[in-house]
Amino acid sequence: MLILKNAIVAHNMCYSRLFKNSCMFKFCSVKSYSKTLIFGIETSCDDTGCAIIDDNGQLLSEKLHCQNLIHLRNGGIIPDVAQDLHRRYIEPTVSDTLEQANVSMDDISAIAVTLQPGLPLSLAIGMKYAKHLSRRFNKPLIPIHHMEAHALVARMEHNISFPYLTLLISGGHCLLAVVEDVNKFKLLGQSIDSAPGEVFDKVSRRMKLRNIPEYSKMSGGQAVEVAASKATNPHMFKLPLPLADYKDCNFSFNGLKTATTLNLFRKEREHKIKADGLIPEVNDLCAALLMAITRHLVHRTQRAIEFCRQRNLIAMDKGQLVVSGLHQNYALTMES
């Protein structure tokens, strides 16, 4: 469950804390201020995030405008809507971040902004505004690959040495990689179709969990997790283990989504469910999906650990696994 709790939260509210490990050491000599300050901007999906961090890794300020409730009413993230909201809130979010840190743009040493991956329309807003600030205040602009930043952010709170294995799981991505240095990564495997968060959102919508008041303000993944915690027979539904016979580290979640949907169709016919009704076994089906995705993540991660040790990519006797991508970051020790 440790991995799953990190996998099913709606979106990462801590992106704006990423910039020290991914880029600061490259630019700390750009300006001769008594203290180097990096201003970070993140707009890769549905949250507008900004933060300021100093050369000691201390977070001076952080502001986030969350669009979650608006997108829930639409049944998911609509890129055009997300872009409009980013455009509306990027300037006040930047201003609030500066005010909270009690600094001005003149005090900032460089501006870091998410370049990829993400929703192109959302990314464009952050990039354009960062370029505007860079030109206006004559500041260096640092493009950030936010999956690399996910892989590095745990080093801000944990003593993690290179190289280490990372599992990145989010609404739009799922991959395994060896982090060899701040800007050096070895990709071991990734999803060949959907991401876990995408599956949770689509299955939750098809199950009509939003019709339950308790779940009406939750993301799809969060609703599935809460519903699963109420299951009385979590082993009622048997879902397959994807890619069980494939000797690589890739992921595949479409099969689990299809299997869950077929079980849902069968139960709806069995109970003659109409319109906005839910099947009585909805909690058990959520638990089955949660366990199946957990099992798949663990299975592929175990393969990656074995591969790394065979190729001496990580420490043979003791290595570290970082699970990252959303609200929380976990650093685990792998014993031989």
Side-chain angles (χ1 to χ4, degrees):
M1 292 301 293
L2 179 65
I3 294 176
L4 247 298
K5 284 186 71 62
N6 201 33
I8 63 177
V9 187
H11 191 60
N12 184 5
M13 295 175 65
C14 299
Y15 279 5
S16 52
R17 299 188 181 193
L18 299 174
F19 303 109
K20 175 200 171 190
N21 287 308
S22 55
C23 62
M24 193 171 73
F25 297 121
K26 303 177 188 177
F27 289 85
C28 61
S29 61
V30 171
K31 281 286 186 178
S32 58
Y33 295 132
S34 58
K35 182 174 288 189
T36 300
L37 301 180
I38 304 295
F39 191 98
I41 298 175
E42 150 61 26
T43 61
S44 65
C45 192
D46 60 335
D47 290 337
T48 307
C50 295
I52 299 174
I53 195 167
D54 66 17
D55 48 5
N56 293 320
Q58 182 177 357
L59 187 69
L60 304 183
S61 66
E62 180 182 32
K63 289 292 181 180
L64 184 80
H65 180 268
C66 184
Q67 306 175 7
N68 185 47
L69 292 180
I70 294 175
H71 293 300
L72 282 177
R73 292 199 294 267
N74 296 323
I77 298 172
I78 299 176
D80 290 338
V81 175
Q83 182 188 43
D84 289 341
L85 292 171
H86 282 306
R87 185 180 291 112
R88 182 185 307 173
Y89 290 105
I90 182 68
E91 185 170 356
T93 304
V94 168
S95 299
D96 290 346
T97 305
L98 291 168
E99 183 179 350
Q100 186 183 56
N102 195 28
V103 297
S104 68
M105 283 303 303
D106 293 330
D107 301 317
I108 300 299
S109 306
I111 300 169
V113 60
T114 305
L115 178 66
Q116 63 175 339
L119 297 177
L121 294 178
S122 295
L123 288 168
I125 298 299
M127 277 299 300
K128 288 178 180 178
Y129 199 81
K131 288 179 180 179
H132 160 71
L133 293 176
S134 177
R135 286 192 296 264
R136 181 180 176 185
F137 297 99
N138 192 28
K139 304 296 181 181
L141 187 64
I142 310 169
I144 299 296
H145 188 293
H146 94 243
M147 296 309 290
E148 294 180 0
H150 275 311
L152 292 161
V153 67
R155 298 182 68 242
M156 293 185 69
E157 300 177 356
H158 303 279
N159 182 22
I160 303 172
S161 57
F162 299 112
Y164 58 88
L165 179 64
T166 183
L167 169 63
L168 305 182
I169 39 182
S170 67
H173 303 89
C174 186
L175 61 87
L176 283 158
V178 175
V179 184
E180 299 178 343
D181 207 336
V182 169
N183 56 0
K184 188 177 181 181
F185 304 84
K186 185 184 294 293
L187 180 65
L188 302 182
Q190 59 188 326
S191 176
I192 61 176
D193 40 54
S194 301
E198 180 183 352
V199 172
F200 284 124
D201 284 342
K202 290 182 176 178
V203 169
S204 172
R205 186 159 58 244
R206 181 59 188 84
M207 288 179 176
K208 295 164 282 192
L209 292 179
R210 286 180 55 210
N211 295 342
I212 300 177
E214 180 183 357
Y215 307 143
S216 62
K217 294 185 179 181
M218 295 182 182
S219 65
Q222 187 180 5
V224 169
E225 183 182 32
V226 174
S229 68
K230 301 178 181 179
T232 56
N233 185 7
H235 301 288
M236 174 183 294
F237 300 95
K238 304 298 182 183
L239 300 181
L241 176 64
L243 304 181
D245 297 326
Y246 286 76
K247 300 184 184 300
D248 56 35
C249 299
N250 289 327
F251 299 89
S252 176
F253 298 95
N254 274 358
L256 290 175
K257 179 175 63 178
T258 300
T260 304
T261 303
L262 290 175
N263 277 286
L264 180 60
F265 284 152
R266 178 170 58 84
K267 284 297 180 180
E268 286 179 335
R269 288 195 298 269
E270 181 181 320
H271 296 292
K272 296 181 172 57
I273 301 296
K274 297 181 180 180
D276 58 351
L278 280 71
I279 62 172
E281 303 89 350
V282 66
N283 293 340
D284 296 325
L285 186 55
C286 286
L289 176 62
L290 202 61
M291 288 190 295
I293 290 185
T294 303
R295 187 184 176 201
H296 183 40
L297 291 170
V298 171
H299 178 248
R300 308 315 283 177
T301 302
Q302 180 61 38
R303 289 194 60 82
I305 292 172
E306 293 173 0
F307 176 82
C308 288
R309 285 181 169 164
Q310 289 175 3
R311 302 296 180 91
N312 291 322
L313 298 178
I314 57 177
M316 292 294 292
D317 55 340
K318 181 184 292 187
Q320 291 175 310
L321 169 65
V322 170
V323 183
S324 184
L326 299 160
H327 283 226
Q328 296 170 314
N329 303 282
Y330 298 98
L332 311 175
T333 299
M334 300 178 289
E335 300 289 348
S336 59

